Amino acid sequence: MQSLTQKTYKNQFVETFPGDDSGNLRPRQTPGVLYSKAVPTPVREPKLLAWSEELAGELGIEKPTTEEEVAVLAGNLVTPTMYPYAACYAGHQFGNWAGQLGDGRAISLGEWEAPNGTSWEFQLKGAGPTPYSRRADGRAVLRSSVREYLMSEAMYHLGVPTTRALSLVNTGDQVLRDMFYNGNAAMEPGAIVMRVAPSFLRFGNFEMLAARQEDENLKKLVDWTISRYYPHIQGEGTERVTAWFREVVERTASLTVEWLRVGFVHGVMNTDNMSILGLTIDYGPYSFVDDYDPNFTPNTTDLPGRRYAFGRQHTVAYWNLGCLASAIAPLFSDTALLQEVLDGYREIFYDKFYAMMGNKLGLDEIKEEDKEIIAQVEKVLTSLNPDMTIFYQLLIDLPEVASEQQVVEHFRESFYHEPNPADRELLFNTMIAYWQRVQMNNCSREKSQEQMRRSNPRFILRNYLLHQAIEGLEKGDDELFVKLQQAMKEPYSSKFDEFFARRPDWASQKAGCSMLSCSS
């Protein structure tokens, strides 16, 4: 185990690519460079609020016990081997080209080499202004930082590919925020999250270079990304790049399927928020689905178009992959192969989707006729709007179907409203067909149920729980915050069934529980 202050950090990214080393934090366009030096701005009184023991153990990091070590997590201390910088990237936001964006409130410190030889980028979110902050202050509030810290680790324990969070620090400073961009700005406590990932490279990094016609930098970034993060891909030239793009497509499809499995809505799937490694990145106005609704979006900025709604995430992923394909197209003399790989997304996604749904439903395999059962279950969920998490948990222990009333009573705990006669009949008929199919499994009922328990989370970090935990912390009470950290580590267990309940009525309209903004 090594100390945060004594470690020798690596800086492969900044040593490989051109950057602006001036340290000038004035907001500006930065053509010709992939990053700009950005030293974190010190905070008044940093205090460690949370520390991920699991991640620290994996990376071989000693828990901070001194003010100096906490200062690293707050951006108050940059060690001699660190090179703090903000990355330059662009992106499509809500379907529109936004030009240069970049790390406006994230500063990478360096790369930590773990005992197993893997390398992890350390990045502070909320550590002060960078050349890409535009008109913002580069800070983050406690509210958004708690959400990022908890959900990063919760998704890891759910088995969803994600960036991680090592620590959460209270800065002791106040930050001015307009939560819903409606003119009602207020001071909020500031905080900083130490984010950790093999890389924070996004689709937007490649889009920026393509837009600026910096083909040499683009080729260099693609080659470096493949060599460093996809070393198993061999070959040369466009053959190698095509194989890499194919794997990015596959990883992105897998990621969106995992989101659908657990009921996660990212909320702001701009191309600058799409990881080139297929990780969930940038936890802002996200939510889990409570009452099932494919058109649900937690992001106020996404209304009324609902571009990033729960049931549209896989199609947005395809659109974003198209933007990435366009960005790397200058490396091809003929883009036919690139288009062919992109066109293969739909088949890859649906193969993974049906396999995932088969696991959620406890089916031993997926036959063509099983897709109708899956479609019927989807229809039931869309019509009845039950609590998604609770519905699938109740489905695990569904007894032999005997009557409509029996089925309705079995699922009653998941209902937010009383089903009408047509919905009752739909639920009953679907459960008859489902029960008959399960009896055809070539495995025991017990094994089928075990499969379902591994695929369907019992605990999720619901927005209202996060909201309550944040309110508690702002008042100096960390009881719920600590308990949620414990519960999120065992999402498939019944150990924390005190949280196994529908969203309360009061939370359906409360700011920060039902709808959030990009400042969340």
Side-chain angles (χ1 to χ4, degrees):
M1 304 291 278
Q2 291 182 281
S3 163
L4 288 164
T5 56
Q6 301 302 313
K7 178 76 170 181
T8 298
Y9 293 84
K10 295 189 174 182
N11 301 283
Q12 296 286 331
F13 184 78
V14 298
E15 290 169 1
T16 302
F17 298 101
D20 181 342
D21 298 316
S22 68
N24 181 359
L25 301 180
R26 179 179 58 83
R28 62 194 184 278
Q29 295 290 308
T30 59
V33 302
L34 278 73
Y35 66 89
S36 294
K37 186 175 182 179
V39 177
T41 304
V43 296
R44 184 169 60 86
E45 193 177 346
K47 176 185 176 184
L48 186 64
L49 288 180
W51 175 258
S52 174
E53 295 285 359
E54 292 78 13
L55 179 57
E58 183 182 340
L59 302 187
I61 307 174
E62 293 177 354
K63 184 173 182 177
T65 56
T66 67
E67 288 185 7
E68 195 176 44
E69 289 168 335
V70 174
V72 171
L73 302 174
N76 282 18
L77 174 63
V78 175
T79 69
T81 58
M82 290 177 176
Y83 183 102
Y85 72 91
C88 178
Y89 50 82
H92 284 84
Q93 298 192 324
F94 299 94
N96 300 305
W97 176 244
Q100 177 184 291
L101 298 166
D103 287 328
R105 59 173 174 171
I107 297 175
S108 293
L109 299 178
E111 297 144 20
W112 178 287
E113 188 171 292
N116 64 2
T118 57
S119 181
W120 297 78
E121 183 177 336
F122 278 17
Q123 186 180 84
L124 297 177
K125 186 170 183 178
T130 79
Y132 308 109
S133 296
R134 301 187 290 284
R135 294 180 299 277
D137 57 13
R139 292 301 188 188
V141 295
L142 181 65
R143 166 174 49 86
S144 64
S145 301
V146 167
R147 286 173 55 82
E148 174 124 19
Y149 175 81
L150 287 178
M151 189 55 75
S152 297
E153 292 304 281
M155 292 287 267
Y156 168 76
H157 291 289
L158 281 165
V160 179
T162 182
T163 58
R164 304 288 300 277
L166 179 64
S167 63
L168 173 66
V169 169
N170 192 328
T171 65
D173 293 324
Q174 292 290 304
V175 178
L176 185 66
R177 282 293 178 272
D178 184 351
M179 183 175 177
F180 289 106
Y181 307 128
N182 59 4
N184 295 314
M187 301 301 291
E188 298 186 48
I192 296 174
V193 174
M194 173 71 90
R195 307 200 296 188
V196 176
S199 172
F200 287 94
L201 279 173
R202 306 135 187 279
F203 291 9
N205 292 85
F206 302 86
E207 287 185 286
M208 184 76 273
L209 299 176
R212 287 180 169 158
Q213 298 181 338
E214 297 177 15
D215 291 355
E216 283 303 312
N217 280 337
L218 176 62
K219 183 180 185 304
K220 191 174 182 179
L221 180 61
V222 169
D223 287 343
W224 185 80
T225 301
I226 298 171
S227 297
R228 187 168 174 85
Y229 303 111
Y230 295 81
H232 54 281
I233 295 177
Q234 302 301 309
E236 296 181 357
T238 56
E239 177 188 345
R240 183 168 179 252
V241 177
T242 302
W244 166 68
F245 181 62
R246 182 177 291 110
E247 187 158 338
V248 175
V249 168
E250 191 274 335
R251 289 191 188 190
T252 304
S254 294
L255 178 65
T256 54
V257 166
E258 283 296 288
W259 290 353
L260 294 174
R261 177 177 69 85
V262 299
F264 178 77
V265 194
H266 184 279
V268 58
M269 287 178 68
N270 299 328
T271 57
D272 56 295
N273 294 335
M274 296 292 293
S275 163
I276 203 67
L277 302 183
L279 306 174
T280 313
I281 189 172
D282 288 338
Y283 290 96
Y286 66 77
S287 179
F288 282 105
V289 171
D290 292 313
D291 48 324
Y292 191 89
D293 180 3
N295 290 318
F296 169 64
T297 179
N299 186 356
T300 55
T301 316
D302 197 26
L303 297 174
R306 300 179 182 268
R307 177 182 177 85
Y308 299 143
F310 175 59
R312 294 182 180 175
Q313 293 181 117
H314 62 292
T315 58
V316 171
Y318 170 75
W319 193 91
N320 290 344
L321 285 164
C323 292
L324 177 61
S326 295
I328 62 176
L331 305 181
F332 292 75
S333 58
D334 182 355
T335 57
L337 267 179
L338 200 58
Q339 184 65 51
E340 183 181 322
V341 172
L342 180 61
D343 291 344
Y345 170 85
R346 179 181 174 84
E347 182 178 353
I348 294 170
F349 169 80
Y350 278 106
D351 283 349
K352 291 177 179 293
F353 172 77
Y354 285 121
M356 176 274 289
M357 286 301 297
N359 288 331
K360 284 181 75 72
L361 297 177
L363 307 183
D364 59 340
E365 61 177 330
I366 291 292
K367 304 168 186 175
E368 191 61 33
E369 55 268 29
D370 292 330
K371 294 178 181 179
E372 179 58 31
I373 292 287
I374 292 170
Q376 280 299 107
V377 171
E378 168 74 16
K379 186 176 180 181
V380 164
L381 291 168
T382 304
S383 296
L384 275 73
N385 310 119
D387 189 279
M388 177 180 171
T389 299
I390 296 176
F391 179 89
Y392 276 110
Q393 286 295 310
L394 296 175
L395 186 65
I396 295 171
D397 297 313
L398 179 71
E400 183 174 358
V401 177
S403 69
E404 181 181 287
Q405 185 62 28
Q406 171 226 18
V407 170
V408 170
E409 290 305 317
H410 179 78
F411 287 103
R412 183 167 296 284
E413 189 179 355
S414 70
F415 297 153
Y416 284 91
H417 57 81
E418 185 66 27
N420 61 41
D423 286 342
R424 289 169 64 101
E425 183 180 6
L426 174 64
L427 175 64
F428 176 54
N429 290 336
T430 301
M431 288 303 109
I432 289 176
Y434 168 70
W435 181 260
Q436 291 172 346
R437 169 58 185 88
V438 169
Q439 302 311 301
M440 296 168 61
N441 276 347
N442 291 315
C443 64
S444 66
R445 176 66 173 149
E446 290 74 21
K447 187 173 181 179
S448 171
Q449 289 173 311
E450 287 174 13
Q451 174 180 300
M452 295 173 77
R453 289 191 177 95
R454 289 193 301 268
S455 302
N456 294 296
R458 191 169 178 89
F459 170 82
I460 54 171
L461 271 177
R462 297 178 188 265
N463 268 348
Y464 83 88
L465 293 174
L466 288 163
H467 182 76
Q468 289 178 317
I470 292 163
E471 283 189 327
L473 284 173
E474 290 176 341
K475 297 173 183 175
D477 179 3
D478 69 351
E479 182 179 357
L480 180 57
F481 177 62
V482 170
K483 187 167 284 188
L484 292 180
Q485 288 182 76
Q486 297 167 343
M488 72 186 187
K489 296 174 185 177
E490 301 184 61
Y492 300 97
S493 155
S494 59
K495 185 175 178 181
F496 293 91
D497 268 6
E498 64 191 278
F499 300 120
F500 187 68
R502 297 187 303 273
R503 179 198 63 232
D505 291 342
W506 62 262
S508 62
Q509 299 298 325
K510 188 174 178 64
C513 294
S514 56
M515 296 295 292
L516 305 111
S517 72
C518 291
S519 74
S520 304

